[in-house]
Amino acid sequence: MGAITAAGLPALLPAAGLMHDPGAAGRFGDYGGRYVPEALMPACAEVEEAFREAWADAGFRRDLDRLLTVYAGRPTPLTPAWNLSAELGVDILLKREDLAHTGSHKINNVLGQALLARRMGRTRVIAETGAGQHGVATATAAALLGLRATVFMGQKDMARQALNVHRMRLLGAEVVEVTSGSRTLKDATSEAMRHWVTCADEAYYCLGSVMGPHPYPWMVREFQRVIGEEARAQCATELPAAIPDYVVACVGGGSNAAGTFAGFAGTAAQLVGVEAAGGAAIAGGKVAVMHGHRSYAIQDEHGQILEAESVAAGLDYPGIGPEHAHLHDLGRARYVTVTDAEVIDAVRRLARSEGILPALESAHAIAWVLRAARDGELPRGATVLITLSGRGDKDTTTLMEIP
Amino acid sequence: MSTVDTVTTAAGVAVGPRLRERRDAGRKLLVPYVTAGISADWTDFLTAYEQAGADAIEIGLPFSEPMIDGPTVQEASERALHRGATVPGILADLRRVRVDVPLVVMTYYHLVARDGHARFCAALAEAGVRGLIVPDLPLEELSELEQAAADAGVDLTLVAAPSGTPSRLREIAARSRGFVYAMTGMVTTGERTELPASAAEFATRLKTHADLPVLLGFGVSTPEHAVAGAHAADGVVVASALMRRVLDGAGPADVGAQVAELRAALDAAQG
Ligand SMILES: Cc1ncc(COP(=O)(O)O)c(C=O)c1O
């Protein structure tokens, strides 16, 4: 496998201070913060306090680790993509979050938050979902821990991710259809936050990505850090250079990417986040305050947030988590985009070459690697870690409708 | 008052002095709401509300992600945006109207911050708007806008919620300008059949901290609600119940009549 190229060394930055505790104000550089109605401020403060306490408590960590191991199936394997690697002339390793219980990385975060909810004495959790993976994970953890779950989901997503709607209901969750705005993740998130106002004293808001008001972007990244830490250790045995040249993950809100990057922020690996071309918060957006934090989002010339447009419900979101905005500004991570057509092609290529059917979301990361290898952007022999955030079973109807 | 169309210094009626004067005179305050840009003639609602006895008027600048608003204001915002409503366009509309009532803009922080706090506040003042409510900007993030609003002669009114600790409520009461906006309950905006049970108790609690008038809003829908709310507080804000009518096709005269009923009920209850 290739050595780290000169281009692979981010010259600019000290590793220290990256992907750390964002402090009481929840700031990642200029981004993050806590922009919520006054009604929710006490609830946010309570979640922060509870998380700080729990995260410093060895007992909580032990309980979570045990669930991640015996229930969620961690550690997930690191699988070389043998055939695709040979075809492309780069060495690809897949971090197999698709093999985690419920079929995606979302379970990592949800088990952490559900344990926290129980620790806080809550009997009910609420959540938003796009692809339904976070909703399924929430319904799952709620079933396990004896919590009631209410999941908000856009009408458009309920149709295209119908399988996950059924799964949530089978698991005992209530799924609430959201018909406002674009009827996707953006609107499901707004609706979940509105609902939280009405029940903050009894319900815990289990947010699904590295977004929302402080402490969520930080807390969710910490709960997803396990992806990056495992991958880092696995790369150390798998790769002669121990660290891959490139670390690539898809970005909706950015939780699988943040968790992955957290394991490599202090290394020489180049970090690449792949957004949907139709929801490219960084490539096509500007600074915005939305859903409780300051970050980037696509918007019109008057500041109204635009509707995203992606074949992948989980990336069909106009914004991005605040820590990614910060990593972008620092130049520590790059954010690129791929089109729906490239994504569909990537699903098929990975399925046929490796026998792994990725989620449409995860296929964004694959698609960028396919393009970058073809264009010579990835040097021959480069080592590439891709987080395969989820499996594609939920997308088979969507894929069947595409010729 | 000036009648020229281009005004370069703060125009409009200041919020705080007017509301305080009326409250101190024993009047219960009534603040009706309209979503700016909801119709071509939307500024006619301002005149209608003034004639119906509004003490101030809340004007919603529509934002695509109205986080604390229920279905009615969401729908009104969507409709206004669909019609092409923009902040500069709305302020241009406002520069063309003259009402002898304080105007208070309610909008989300993104639309305030993207222009720069000082520019946004100056633009409000130039358009005759002397009050501002930003419901997704909590105390912790407030200071920059607080300064810019004060510099522009705009009263930045803060929202207090029943979930607030005593120290938060004290700080909100101390830093709010114009009036203190008290949420009736842990609810979003929207028409309701009953006023949340927490409303009166919360208004009473908040009034122990506040010299400014305390107005209850969120879900105040009927004259009975207005009377009950204003009994504990200094007055009420009525939004969704009016906007529902507007969405259903009612014009300024009809909705003005609804405001007049609220006014009459409040006055009658004062005896
Ligand atoms: C499989 C999968 N990957 C990625 C995402 C995007 O979320 P995030 O960017 O937070 O990882 C989703 C969201 O639904 C998902 O289901």
Side-chain angles (χ1 to χ4, degrees), chain B residues 6-7 9 17 20 22 24 33 45 55 89 100 123-124 126 144 147 156 159 173 181 190 196 198 215 236 259 262 266:
Chain B
T6 45
V7 190
T9 51
R20 199 189 274 270
R22 293 206 169 165
D24 293 348
Y33 165 99
F45 287 98
D55 297 296
D100 181 33
L124 289 186
E126 270 176 43
E144 223 183 305
Q147 187 61 51
L156 183 61
V159 180
Y181 197 133
S198 51
L215 302 193
V236 290
V259 174
L262 292 161
L266 287 173

Side-chain angles (χ1 to χ4, degrees), chain A residues 103-106 129-134 161 164 185 208-210 220 224 250-258 313-315 324 359-362 388-391 394:
Chain A
S104 84
H105 69 293
K106 298 285 181 187
T129 196
Q133 288 300 120
H134 176 60
Q161 307 277 257
N164 276 344
L185 178 57
S209 192
V210 284
V220 175
Q224 292 293 3
C250 70
V251 176
S255 69
N256 85 87
L315 305 195
H324 289 294
L360 285 167
E361 291 77 15
S362 323
L388 198 76
S389 57
R391 65 176 180 234
K394 69 184 179 59

Side-chain angles (χ1 to χ4, degrees), chain B:
Chain B
M1 271 191 66
S2 162
T3 52
V4 290
D5 242 28
T6 45
V7 190
T8 48
T9 51
V13 183
V15 183
R18 172 69 68 89
L19 293 185
R20 199 189 274 270
E21 176 198 315
R22 293 206 169 165
R23 190 255 328 249
D24 293 348
R27 177 173 162 109
K28 290 298 182 183
L29 304 173
L30 176 60
V31 180
Y33 165 99
V34 66
T35 300
I38 184 81
S39 59
D41 63 352
W42 76 271
T43 55
D44 291 350
F45 287 98
L46 306 179
T47 333
Y49 289 177
E50 176 186 25
Q51 282 162 10
D55 297 296
I57 299 171
E58 187 182 332
I59 299 172
L61 299 193
F63 179 47
S64 52
E65 312 308 316
M67 194 181 185
I68 192 74
D69 285 305
T72 302
V73 174
Q74 284 175 46
E75 191 184 334
S77 302
E78 265 185 59
R79 188 183 290 184
L81 290 174
H82 197 71
R83 283 193 65 258
T86 65
V87 174
I90 288 162
L91 295 183
D93 290 346
L94 284 172
R95 280 195 295 271
R96 285 189 287 274
V97 291
R98 284 288 170 271
V99 284
D100 181 33
V101 177
L103 302 179
V104 179
V105 149
M106 183 323 241
T107 198
Y108 288 85
Y109 184 53
H110 176 55
L111 293 184
V112 175
R114 66 183 291 276
D115 273 344
H117 300 94
R119 259 177 67 191
F120 184 86
C121 293
L124 289 186
E126 270 176 43
V129 174
R130 301 290 298 280
L132 174 62
I133 302 166
V134 186
D136 59 342
L137 190 67
L139 288 172
E140 285 74 0
E141 309 279 1
L142 198 66
S143 53
E144 223 183 305
L145 182 60
E146 196 172 35
Q147 187 61 51
D151 291 347
V154 170
D155 280 334
L156 183 61
T157 293
L158 306 187
V159 180
S163 58
T165 56
S167 71
R168 284 192 81 82
L169 296 182
R170 251 195 313 278
E171 191 178 346
I172 288 166
R175 290 172 70 179
S176 193
R177 295 290 176 270
F179 62 98
V180 184
Y181 197 133
M183 284 173 72
T184 53
M186 294 296 285
V187 294
T188 56
T189 63
E191 313 94 280
R192 295 208 152 64
T193 48
E194 312 254 334
L195 203 59
S198 51
E201 177 276 326
F202 179 53
T204 308
R205 187 149 55 95
L206 195 57
K207 274 179 66 100
T208 65
H209 300 297
D211 293 333
L212 291 176
V214 170
L215 302 193
L216 272 170
F218 284 47
V220 178
S221 305
T222 66
E224 294 70 38
H225 295 171
V227 168
H231 183 69
D234 297 308
V236 290
V237 180
V238 182
S240 298
L242 303 177
M243 293 316 293
R244 185 72 261 154
R245 297 278 305 282
V246 176
L247 288 167
D248 291 345
D254 290 338
V255 185
Q258 196 181 346
V259 174
E261 278 172 37
L262 292 161
R263 174 80 268 157
L266 287 173
D267 291 346
Q270 283 301 91

Side-chain angles (χ1 to χ4, degrees), chain A residues 175-251:
Chain A
V175 182
V176 179
E177 181 181 71
V178 177
T179 56
S180 54
S182 53
R183 298 158 196 234
T184 58
L185 178 57
K186 163 172 90 68
D187 313 285
T189 306
S190 294
E191 203 52 38
M193 288 190 173
R194 290 184 191 111
H195 183 69
W196 192 24
V197 171
T198 69
C199 60
D201 52 343
E202 45 119 10
Y204 175 91
Y205 184 17
C206 182
L207 228 155
S209 192
V210 284
M211 50 187 212
H214 178 55
Y216 286 96
W218 168 51
M219 174 169 68
V220 175
R221 179 249 280 161
E222 288 302 287
F223 286 141
Q224 292 293 3
R225 177 184 283 280
V226 63
I227 305 173
E229 286 182 349
E230 282 177 14
R232 173 90 185 266
Q234 290 164 323
C235 284
T237 53
E238 197 69 33
L239 295 174
I243 305 288
D245 300 330
Y246 294 85
V247 172
V248 186
C250 70
V251 176

Side-chain angles (χ1 to χ4, degrees), chain A residues 87-150:
Chain A
E87 240 177 88
L88 299 176
V90 295
D91 284 315
I92 298 172
L93 296 169
L94 301 172
K95 180 59 177 161
R96 300 291 305 279
E97 296 304 297
D98 61 317
L99 294 179
H101 181 41
T102 69
S104 84
H105 69 293
K106 298 285 181 187
I107 193 74
N108 306 331
N109 167 45
V110 163
L111 287 174
Q113 289 201 52
L115 281 180
L116 189 66
R118 200 177 61 175
R119 189 180 163 101
M120 292 171 71
R122 297 297 197 268
T123 53
R124 194 174 152 230
V125 290
I126 61 174
E128 81 297 333
T129 196
Q133 288 300 120
H134 176 60
V136 167
T138 301
T140 298
L144 177 70
L145 298 180
L147 305 165
R148 282 185 302 134
T150 304

